[in-house]
Amino acid sequence: GGTLDTNGNLIQFGDSGSTTDDRLQFGASQDLQLYHDGSNTHIKNTGSDFFIAAEGADKDLYLRSDDDVFIQSQGGEHGVKVVGNGAVELYYDNNKKLETTSTGIDVTGLVEFDSLSGTGSVAITDIADEDDMSSNSATQLATQQSIKAYADTKTTSGFAVAMAIAL
């Protein structure tokens, strides 16, 4: 150990063509490596967990790219994809589930939540068009015609029912 004095000169490596040349290696087992393969730059950790931290009060961590940013799990599966000047995509098991768009978000699959509040419009895609309400579904929205037909069968003659549904 000791201090490496380069006397103001650069330490320059060529492109790494194998696992043993032109690399900066750290650790007793060389389990942290920094190298360039001629096309891409790599920081590899083959030891235990790998931490990147900006520690202390008001210390932020930035990952920056002139194009896209990817966070991948085992086998190169997508987890998060940040598209330059575009969408942010979230994946589950390499399948896109949520994507931001210029008008909001696009969700693929079931959305579960404890409550929903806000202003504006809500789009419901499961619609029950059943005059007798036989499905008794807690997850489908009945059409206005279905509600009217159902209410008409439950009222007495001469009794008018007025309903307004606003979402």
Side-chain angles (χ1 to χ4, degrees), residues 55-107:
E55 297 179 346
D58 298 323
K59 304 297 184 225
D60 299 323
L61 177 66
Y62 292 86
L63 297 176
R64 191 171 291 171
S65 172
D66 283 344
D67 197 10
D68 302 338
V69 175
F70 300 88
I71 299 176
Q72 298 179 328
S73 60
Q74 71 275 1
E77 287 187 359
H78 288 307
V80 178
K81 181 178 178 183
V82 180
V83 179
N85 292 317
V88 174
E89 301 171 355
L90 300 179
Y91 291 77
Y92 176 82
D93 197 20
N94 211 33
N95 294 295
K96 186 174 14 173
K97 295 299 179 180
L98 187 138
E99 175 180 8
T100 61
T101 67
S102 62
T103 58
I105 63 170
D106 184 12
V107 177

Side-chain angles (χ1 to χ4, degrees), residues 113-150:
F113 48 85
D114 292 333
S115 65
L116 179 64
S117 65
T119 60
S121 63
V122 175
I124 306 290
T125 57
D126 290 324
I127 306 295
D129 190 10
E130 311 171 314
D131 291 350
D132 63 356
M133 303 291 185
S134 61
S135 69
N136 196 23
S137 174
T139 61
Q140 294 181 333
L141 179 65
T143 65
Q144 185 176 2
Q145 176 60 35
S146 293
I147 294 170
K148 183 180 180 316
Y150 181 77

